[in-house]
Amino acid sequence: MEHRMGNVSPLHRQPSPAVARWASRSVPARLWHVRPEPSPAAVRWASHSVPAHLSARGLAVPVWAALLLPAAALLRLLSPWASLILAPAFALAAAVRLAALAVPPPPGPPPLPEADLPTVTALVPLFREEALLPDLAAALGRLDYPARLLEVLILVEESDPQTAAAARAHRPPCSGWQVVVVPEGSPQTKPRACNVGLALAQGEVVVVFDGEDRPDPGQARLAAAALASDPGLAVVQARLGCDHAGPGSPLVARLWALEYAGLFGCVLPALARLGLPFPLGGTSNWFRTDALRAAGGWDAHNVTEDADLGVRLARLGWRSGVIDSTTWEEAPVTARAWLCQRARWLKGFAVTSIVHAREPRRAARELGLPATLALVAQLPASLLCIAAHPLGLALLAGGQVGGALAALMLLGYASALALAARAARRAGLPLWLALLLPAYWLALWAALLLALRDLARDPAHWRKTAHGAVERPGLPSICGSSRAPGRIPCPEGRESPMFSLCSHDPAEERR
């Protein structure tokens, strides 16, 4: 990495002894040399970057174990006393929602002077998404950040030459845009590709974007300022939203947008304000690079690598924050696409819960009681609440609303509807969408059953979400949506001393 003259970047700090010990076990230091392509050592590390006791690799879940979750939710039908196992889950879920309603979001950081801006590497893993490249190039080109400090690594699989060719063809001029081909290997997953990119990253800050993402132009500066203002932060999460949930859009997309508005606009800011950990979203996570490497990067065998990484960072003593900036995403527009996407997420939550419950006393000691309860509420307890939703509807329909368990269930429903109403107002969505949530939760229950089936069959199977199936608001192109290969000279003063890629010939690239 280039060393800049002047003051040391405020993002550079000595890791704690715990972080240093973890890094010595999980991250071979020799991987972090700048290379034009991933080394064999980096490729091997990408699949085994996380210590075995914290990784999902080799995880096998018997069918009977996968069925425990829905069975626990139905215990109320067998014995009123046995149903008390649901009470803690309902209480924790309601507590998180009430906190989201009561706790204001954290204040924004002070602006970071231009001279103190850190170098940034954006990792963009793509697989069979060549159609997204024009909009992706335009979206990343809108980021308000000095070109000399920004590196973009487009990560494509060796088995996907079409996306690699499209990435080269649509590369904006005067940028640190590089195409990295991820060699074939197992598992072929997004987190493995991100680990390969992490091995090559030169930035002090690493961010992950998906191919359909459209981040706010000022997001990079805001993330850099947030990380610089608080040395205890390992990562800041941008808000995720849907830019095609207006009138006339499919109902599933509008409900997806409402759910995201509640999670990223209300719940995560409250948890961040309270200093509690949370599962990260799959994109627009701005990491302090040294913390990310010390944690071992992403678990290549976990289908919700983002949620797992949020837990591991918390166990290392780092905190997660949020920033008041939105990345606009593409929501599923068909019930089938939504079901497959949500099944993968719920399966990943189950896998993450199992992995970190292997040594429960150690995990609780590393996290502390408040953080442990917060993560239990968001991972295993949330799955149990989804599994119990049909039971809740049956009890309400039968008029059985007496007792402590029913009271907690009603509190959970009421807090969820209140949170959805607030999120709808903030996101400009119609309030009547909140009234459809009970039906939406039934769909979540169906997704959970599919997730549990997948969990027993193959915990590492990746149900990839297809993108590019919906018309979205247009973006201004960067030097046109495409351009012919050839050498494009940079305007005077725009050369990048860190990533000298402004003049290039795509035909000469090795990858």
Side-chain angles (χ1 to χ4, degrees):
M1 181 183 301
E2 177 190 75
H3 295 281
R4 289 178 285 150
M5 301 299 291
N7 296 333
V8 176
S9 165
L11 292 180
H12 181 76
R13 71 168 196 159
Q14 288 296 112
S16 68
V19 170
R21 288 194 297 271
W22 196 307
S24 67
R25 292 196 303 268
S26 60
V27 183
R30 64 181 180 276
L31 295 185
W32 309 130
H33 297 299
V34 177
R35 298 178 58 89
E37 58 187 24
S39 68
V43 173
R44 290 192 299 271
W45 176 84
S47 297
H48 300 85
S49 62
V50 177
H53 71 286
L54 291 174
S55 173
R57 63 180 177 269
L59 180 68
V61 179
V63 174
W64 64 265
L67 293 176
L68 284 178
L69 191 63
L74 296 176
L75 285 177
R76 171 66 175 79
L77 302 178
L78 303 177
S79 167
W81 293 104
S83 67
L84 291 178
I85 192 175
L86 297 174
F90 293 165
L92 287 172
V96 169
R97 294 170 188 146
L98 292 173
L101 290 167
V103 178
L112 196 61
E114 190 87 9
D116 289 334
L117 289 174
T119 53
V120 173
T121 297
L123 305 180
V124 188
L126 302 175
F127 183 61
R128 297 177 182 171
E129 294 176 307
E130 60 270 17
L132 303 179
L133 263 301
D135 280 351
L136 174 64
L140 297 185
R142 293 172 65 240
L143 286 174
D144 176 23
Y145 208 73
R148 70 184 186 280
L149 301 178
L150 180 62
E151 175 188 43
V152 179
L153 300 184
I154 306 297
L155 307 169
V156 298
E157 298 291 335
E158 190 173 7
S159 60
D160 185 17
Q162 294 84 1
T163 301
R168 297 185 182 107
H170 292 284
R171 180 170 59 187
C174 308
S175 68
W177 179 292
Q178 300 184 65
V179 179
V180 177
V181 174
V182 178
E184 289 187 359
S186 180
Q188 183 177 300
T189 58
K190 172 185 173 181
R192 176 177 176 269
C194 286
N195 280 338
V196 170
L198 180 60
L200 300 174
Q202 301 179 66
E204 297 166 276
V205 172
V206 168
V207 60
V208 177
F209 288 125
D210 288 335
E212 79 278 12
D213 286 354
R214 297 178 174 183
D216 285 343
Q219 189 173 121
R221 289 179 181 267
L222 189 58
L227 291 172
S229 67
D230 187 346
L233 284 176
V235 58
V236 289
Q237 170 72 62
R239 187 169 49 245
L240 304 181
C242 174
D243 59 3
H244 56 94
S249 60
L251 187 59
V252 64
R254 303 180 82 179
L255 287 168
W256 186 95
L258 176 62
E259 184 181 23
Y260 262 45
L263 176 62
F264 291 96
C266 300
V267 174
L268 298 193
L271 293 173
R273 182 68 180 261
L274 294 172
L276 296 174
F278 50 84
L280 299 172
T283 177
S284 303
N285 326 116
W286 298 78
F287 295 94
R288 198 182 299 270
T289 305
D290 58 354
L292 179 58
R293 287 174 172 164
W298 295 270
D299 183 3
H301 303 263
N302 193 317
V303 296
T304 51
E305 76 294 337
D306 40 12
D308 168 72
L309 181 53
V311 178
R312 280 190 285 117
L313 287 170
R315 292 183 63 172
L316 280 172
W318 292 95
R319 288 184 291 104
S320 301
V322 297
I323 52 175
D324 185 16
S325 177
T326 301
T327 293
W328 301 102
E329 293 199 285
E330 180 183 333
V333 293
T334 67
R336 179 180 178 83
W338 177 91
L339 184 68
C340 291
Q341 182 189 70
R342 196 51 53 101
R344 174 169 62 85
W345 293 354
L346 295 178
K347 181 178 71 171
F349 282 8
V351 167
T352 300
S353 301
I354 293 170
V355 165
H356 292 279
R358 285 170 172 163
E359 300 175 288
R361 294 179 61 183
R362 177 178 176 180
R365 184 175 64 253
E366 292 172 348
L367 289 167
L369 180 60
T372 299
L373 292 177
L375 289 172
V376 169
Q378 297 169 82
L379 292 170
S382 69
L383 297 176
L384 191 55
C385 289
I386 294 172
H389 179 55
L391 172 64
L393 292 182
L395 293 177
L396 293 177
Q400 302 181 42
V401 293
L405 183 64
L408 285 172
M409 184 179 296
L410 289 173
L411 177 62
Y413 283 146
S415 60
L417 292 174
L419 181 63
R422 173 178 291 185
R425 286 194 299 269
R426 290 182 176 178
L429 296 167
L431 289 177
W432 57 261
L433 282 174
L435 300 178
L436 300 179
L437 286 181
Y440 187 73
W441 295 332
L442 275 180
L444 277 176
W445 181 77
L448 178 62
L449 294 183
L450 180 59
L452 294 175
R453 188 195 71 170
D454 288 353
L455 180 64
R457 287 185 172 183
D458 185 357
H461 174 64
W462 192 283
R463 289 183 178 270
K464 181 169 174 20
T465 304
H467 295 113
V470 64
E471 289 292 331
R472 301 174 66 189
L475 282 173
S477 63
I478 304 300
C479 298
S481 62
S482 63
R483 58 179 176 80
R487 306 190 72 87
I488 300 180
C490 290
E492 186 176 357
R494 293 291 302 277
E495 294 81 2
S496 168
M498 180 177 180
F499 313 114
S500 53
L501 294 173
C502 286
S503 297
H504 61 274
D505 183 347
E508 295 178 0
E509 292 182 354
R510 297 184 61 187
R511 290 282 189 183

